Amino acid sequence: MASFKQKIARYLYPLILRLGRKGKNGTILSNEGNVPPKKPFPLEQIIFSNGSKPDLMSYSGKMILVVNTASNCGYTGQYAELQTLHEGFSQKLVILGFPSNDFKEQEKANDQEIAQFCQVNYGVTFPILKKAVVVPHSDQHPVFKWLTSSTLNGWNDHAPDWNFSKYLLDEKGNLIHYFGPSVSPLDDVFINAIGLKNK
């Protein structure tokens, strides 16, 4: 069940999205030089919220979108948009939601509560992972350490600006884009940049 604060944030989401595009939350970065990673993307470090691990073969030949999420954020409405993206493009794209409490403590719930919140309020069926540290820190999750270190991914050092920052990898495991929180996953600039077409 959504709290009063969560309901207000959901109502204000379109305004927050519009205002955020003018600042750092609207940042878009691209791997212009097609620089390959220096180390492979650490897929083996992915653990779902229930403690299980994915069948890595099911990710073969697909793009991967990594998003740091939170349940009490102005951008939480993007769960619904990510679900729409998942339903339309699951044959080509894997979405990985990484809940995090790194930004203004907007995700205090435990793994089970987070998964239930996502399913009940947004019908989420894409993978929600165990809660993790996503910003540079000694406890930063290996996936985000790779995403935010050019010595690993080949070119990008940009850490998440806020909840619902998005990192896109191509089918070969190359990091190709970063999209700030206020870039909707259903925005034309997002869809066009990643070259997705619904089949």
Side-chain angles (χ1 to χ4, degrees):
M1 199 70 177
S3 67
F4 178 73
K5 180 180 177 182
Q6 290 163 342
K7 289 176 182 176
I8 292 295
R10 193 170 188 173
Y11 176 76
L12 293 176
Y13 170 62
L15 177 62
I16 293 167
L17 196 67
R18 201 161 48 248
L19 294 175
R21 289 299 293 271
K22 298 176 181 176
K24 68 176 183 177
N25 285 349
T27 299
I28 299 175
L29 303 173
S30 300
N31 184 355
E32 302 289 352
N34 296 315
V35 180
K38 296 181 179 179
K39 299 280 185 181
F41 180 68
L43 264 177
E44 72 282 355
Q45 297 292 333
I46 292 172
I47 303 176
F48 297 146
S49 59
N50 64 6
S52 66
K53 290 197 169 190
D55 172 12
L56 300 185
M57 289 302 293
S58 67
Y59 291 10
S60 179
K62 293 185 179 182
M63 302 176 88
I64 297 175
L65 180 64
V66 179
V67 186
N68 60 295
T69 64
S71 302
N72 293 289
C73 177
Y75 294 107
T76 299
Q78 285 191 21
Y79 270 130
E81 297 172 342
L82 290 165
Q83 179 61 25
T84 298
L85 195 67
H86 170 68
E87 291 171 3
F89 303 107
S90 62
Q91 295 302 310
K92 183 172 181 177
L93 177 72
V94 173
I95 300 172
L96 301 174
F98 273 84
S100 173
N101 197 39
D102 292 344
F103 298 100
K104 297 290 185 183
E105 297 188 342
Q106 293 182 344
E107 187 55 277
K108 293 184 178 181
N110 63 37
D111 291 321
Q112 182 180 359
E113 291 166 340
I114 294 166
Q116 184 177 20
F117 169 84
C118 293
Q119 201 284 319
V120 169
N121 293 284
Y122 295 100
V124 168
T125 57
F126 60 84
I128 299 296
L129 282 63
K130 292 189 79 62
K131 196 159 119 178
V133 173
V134 301
V135 296
H137 185 275
S138 59
D139 294 329
Q140 186 182 32
H141 192 281
V143 164
F144 276 85
K145 185 173 183 181
W146 187 92
L147 291 169
T148 60
S149 175
S150 59
T151 60
L152 300 173
N153 65 56
W155 66 279
N156 180 61
D157 291 309
H158 194 90
D161 289 305
W162 196 255
N163 302 309
F164 291 89
S165 295
K166 305 160 205 63
Y167 295 84
L168 183 77
L169 285 75
D170 68 13
E171 297 89 343
K172 296 179 180 178
N174 301 311
L175 178 62
I176 56 173
H177 292 291
Y178 167 84
F179 298 93
S182 62
V183 181
S184 163
L186 298 181
D187 193 305
D188 285 345
V189 70
F190 185 91
I191 299 296
N192 291 337
I194 63 180
L196 286 177
K197 293 179 182 177
N198 204 349
K199 295 181 179 179

